[in-house]
């Protein structure tokens, strides 16, 4: 405990992040669990109860905002007040971060999907992928499953790992958990579903604002992972998406980095939704591209962690010398 108090706040948060990531990685390897499952159930029930698609667009948007505030504000206040009664502060902060972080075994899941596709076991691939997607998987071909698996891992890694870690380092554990709760509300009230097209407006808007900066940092690292493989061309072709308040930039960069097509039409509740398509001149994704995508996503995450460690150690040494 004495050692922890001698660390700078930044070094302390980096150390805490590393420890929780290791613990969650080990636990996720042996046990498939979702700590926020009950919160997801609550959000679905609340959405069904409060949202009325027959109301006007304005009323639905206001209802969505009120649902977000009524859900989030009491939880944040209770956790903030409860922190004063916790004797071991670092354990409490680590617990909040553990709940905020998403699954760390997405790479293993996608490896299983890729192996199933290679073995022509499309049904197994669909069953493995279906719980992780909002879109329907029943009618997806091998190409569609490969594309969906790549996009799933990319977006979940950005939203549930990278952004959560960024907010924890910058703003602390309560901010990281608050964001994750809003993200779960966004998942449950996704505007791609007709009944939540307006109701989920604010949950989507807030999460996209919080994701913008950290997702751009991770995306630039994905570009660096393709250094010497047309990374400059990738930047020129995708920079038009850079300032958009959505996921187009990160998906576009990965599409050009893998030289495959991503995005396009997807089915939601038996309805086709035409989303933006990226790298139309590229080939269709294959199972091997799922593994390549995993490598690029892991590179961006691991390189960020390495840079954090190096900066934290350097900063700690500088502060120690100044104090002495």
């Amino acid at each position: 405990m004495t050692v922890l108090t001698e660390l700078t706040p930044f070094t302390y948060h980096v150390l805490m992040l590393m420890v929780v990531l290791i613990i969650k990685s080990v636990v996720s390897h042996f046990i498939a669990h979702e700590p926020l499952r009950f919160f997801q159930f609550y959000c679905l029930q609340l959405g069904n109860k409060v949202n009325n698609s027959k109301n006007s667009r304005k009323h639905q948007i206001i209802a969505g905002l009120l649902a977000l505030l009524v859900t989030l504000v009491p939880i944040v206040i209770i956790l903030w007040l409860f922190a004063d009664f916790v004797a071991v502060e670092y354990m409490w902060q680590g617990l909040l971060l553990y709940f905020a972080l998403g699954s760390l075994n997405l790479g293993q899941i996608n490896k299983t999907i890729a192996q199933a596709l290679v073995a022509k076991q499309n049904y197994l691939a669909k069953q493995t992928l279906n719980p992780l997607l909002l879109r329907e998987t029943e009618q997806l071909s091998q190409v569609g499953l490969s594309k969906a698996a790549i996009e799933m891992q990319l977006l979940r890694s950005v939203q549930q790992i990278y952004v959560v870690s960024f907010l924890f380092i910058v703003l602390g554990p309560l901010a990281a958990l608050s964001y994750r709760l809003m993200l779960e509300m966004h998942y449950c009230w996704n505007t791609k579903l007709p009944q939540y097209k307006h109701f989920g407006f604010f949950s989507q808007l807030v999460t996209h604002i919080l994701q913008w900066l950290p997702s751009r940092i991770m995306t630039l690292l994905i570009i660096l992972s393709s250094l010497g493989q047309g990374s400059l061309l990738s930047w020129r072709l995708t920079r038009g998406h850079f300032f958009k308040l959505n996921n187009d930039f990160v998906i576009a960069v990965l599409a050009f980095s893998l030289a495959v097509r991503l995005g396009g039409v997807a089915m939601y509740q038996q309805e086709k939704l035409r989303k933006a398509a990226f790298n139309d001149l590229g080939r269709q994704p294959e199972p091997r591209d799922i593994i390549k995508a995993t490598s690029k996503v892991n590179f961006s995450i691991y390189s960020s962690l390495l840079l954090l460690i190096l900066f934290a150690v350097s900063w700690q040494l500088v502060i120690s010398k100044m104090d002495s």
Side-chain angles (χ1 to χ4, degrees), residues 33 67 100 119 128 137 186 225 227 236 291-292 298 320:
H33 68 300
T128 305
T137 61
H186 166 56
S225 72
L227 199 60
R236 293 194 192 101
I291 305 302
K292 291 180 181 178
N298 288 343
S320 300

Side-chain angles (χ1 to χ4, degrees), residues 64-78:
L65 175 61
L66 292 176
L68 188 153
L69 294 175
V70 167
T71 300
L72 186 64
V73 172
I75 294 175
V76 172
I77 292 175
I78 291 171

Side-chain angles (χ1 to χ4, degrees), residues 11 37 46 52 76 81 88 142 166 189 209 239 293 295 302:
T11 307
R37 188 182 304 275
L46 180 64
N52 187 348
V76 172
L81 293 174
V88 187
Q142 185 178 86
F166 179 89
W189 308 332
I209 290 173
R239 62 186 178 184
S295 298
Y302 294 151

